[in-house]
Amino acid sequence: MRVPSRSPGQQPGSPPSPTAPARRRPSGAIPRRVPAPAPDLPAYRAAVAELLVEVGALADAASTRARQVLIDERLREPALAAVLDATPQGLIGARETLLLEMARYQPNDRTSAVDLSALVRIYLLSRIDVLWWQDAPTFVTDDQVNGSAELVDLEWLRRRDLLRFRYQEQPATMLGRAARGLRRRLRPDATPRTAGLLFRRARREVVALLNDIGREFTAVAPPATPPLWVTSLVRSAEHQYRLRRLGYAAMLPSGHCLGYSADVELAWFARFGARDALAELLLNRQEAGELNVIDEGQAWHLCLAPTARRRLRRAYEAEMGV
């Protein structure tokens, strides 16, 4: 059914005025391009949530064709299409990538996509990161991450007590991995069950963001709750492909490979009665337009909004005295 146009143009029964002067553009003048309105992200997230209910109802193997038809139809709806079409892949590219991800999906113990609905949620919500930062350069290789002047060394900051969050590095040797495994067996709940950071580096704005969240979390969490725990920060595209081969739901392009995303532990804080407080804190920041948040189960994915970058860069410089 076609929806009648709501354009404020000529109304039925009202003839055009023959005396209205025509506007002429000066010779050689370049017409101004009106910027396209920003996509409605709350409407996009609501549309994604509705789609997930339908995907969940078609989760069995016999419904593959029905899922394809559903995805093809729903992604063309205005709330979803407006965001996807504004990404570098465009609507068609996003649709094809999502269908390919769904066709390749295999549940395993590593992936945060526990089912097809979770996979669709992670992929579609991660497109907001891509929309925001599509002009940012990607860290393609591990060497680019380790050598970038845009990133700061977290260990240098930690040793000077300038971080309001915790993290752990991935063990670099067999002996280190064995020691990590032994500690987990002796004290299984002492720390979150995460591989840790391959790169202990981050953008200054992201450090300021996590410090800000860490301070707020400490203020609202029950007494004796450990500090905010960060499980992932910047990654190279090279490492993202390694994670995909291991079975993780590591999407491409990714805000991690641009340096503007982080993952923070959620599930572990339930044992301290602090999980819901942290979740509410993060969702409030998303509602304020500062973050994109993706519930990935054990950890939640965060991406810094471009509109908050300048403020957080100034906050980092003030806090670090630089």
Side-chain angles (χ1 to χ4, degrees):
M1 182 178 70
R2 293 180 62 85
V3 179
S5 172
R6 298 184 181 180
S7 170
Q10 180 183 338
Q11 299 300 312
S14 59
S17 171
T19 59
R23 294 186 177 180
R24 295 185 178 179
R25 185 181 301 137
S27 177
I30 300 175
R32 291 184 178 181
R33 297 184 63 183
V34 179
D40 186 341
L41 296 185
Y44 178 79
R45 293 185 179 106
V48 170
E50 292 176 2
L51 173 59
L52 296 179
V53 175
E54 296 178 279
V55 171
L58 298 172
D60 58 291
S63 301
T64 300
R65 176 58 182 164
R67 286 197 302 269
Q68 291 176 345
V69 173
L70 172 69
I71 294 296
D72 188 59
E73 290 180 350
R74 291 294 182 266
L75 295 192
R76 297 177 190 275
E77 294 178 353
L80 294 171
V83 170
L84 298 177
D85 205 38
T87 64
Q89 275 191 307
L91 172 60
I92 301 302
R95 169 191 172 276
E96 294 302 316
T97 300
L98 177 56
L99 289 175
L100 184 60
E101 292 284 354
M102 295 173 71
R104 292 176 172 175
Y105 172 72
Q106 293 290 335
N108 60 74
D109 294 336
R110 289 173 170 167
T111 181
S112 55
V114 296
D115 54 29
L116 274 175
S117 294
L119 178 75
V120 173
R121 179 180 68 249
I122 292 169
Y123 177 79
L124 289 179
L125 293 182
S126 70
R127 299 310 88 187
I128 296 176
D129 302 5
V130 177
L131 168 70
W132 279 348
W133 296 106
Q134 57 187 286
D135 294 327
T138 297
F139 292 105
V140 178
T141 66
D142 294 355
D143 288 342
Q144 286 181 357
V145 174
N146 288 322
S148 175
E150 296 297 316
L151 306 175
V152 294
D153 184 2
L154 295 181
E155 189 64 13
W156 188 91
L157 297 173
R158 186 191 67 79
R159 291 175 179 175
R160 288 155 180 80
D161 195 30
L162 294 172
L163 298 181
R164 306 280 73 84
F165 59 90
R166 290 182 183 173
Y167 64 92
Q168 64 182 7
E169 294 182 69
Q170 290 187 19
T173 64
M174 289 291 294
L175 181 60
R177 287 191 285 273
R180 173 77 58 82
L182 177 61
R183 285 196 298 270
R184 283 181 176 173
R185 287 194 295 271
L186 295 176
R187 302 182 62 198
D189 297 321
T191 60
R193 298 188 65 83
T194 174
L197 306 183
L198 179 62
F199 307 103
R200 64 182 194 197
R201 297 171 65 76
R203 288 190 182 274
R204 293 160 177 83
E205 300 89 340
V206 173
V207 171
L209 170 68
L210 294 172
N211 273 350
D212 203 14
I213 293 174
R215 280 187 290 266
E216 187 175 352
F217 179 52
T218 298
V220 301
T225 300
L228 181 74
W229 193 286
V230 176
T231 63
S232 183
L233 281 163
V234 63
R235 302 174 192 158
S236 65
E238 180 182 358
H239 184 54
Q240 196 81 341
Y241 280 111
R242 286 197 294 265
L243 293 175
R244 288 177 64 84
R245 288 194 295 269
L246 290 171
Y248 290 95
M251 299 300 173
L252 288 163
S254 169
H256 285 290
C257 302
L258 307 174
Y260 291 106
S261 290
D263 295 343
V264 297
E265 177 71 25
L266 261 287
W268 183 64
F269 285 106
R271 65 193 304 267
F272 304 100
R275 182 197 178 281
D276 291 346
L278 179 54
E280 182 179 6
L281 185 161
L282 297 176
L283 291 175
N284 287 342
R285 285 177 176 261
Q286 174 174 271
E287 187 175 351
E290 185 176 86
L291 291 178
N292 182 41
V293 176
I294 306 175
D295 178 353
E296 296 188 354
Q298 176 185 342
W300 281 21
H301 171 93
L302 315 178
C303 183
L304 171 66
T307 53
R309 181 184 180 186
R310 181 176 298 180
R311 177 183 67 79
L312 289 168
R313 182 60 175 259
R314 290 198 299 263
Y316 175 88
E317 292 170 352
E319 189 172 356
M320 305 302 167
V322 296

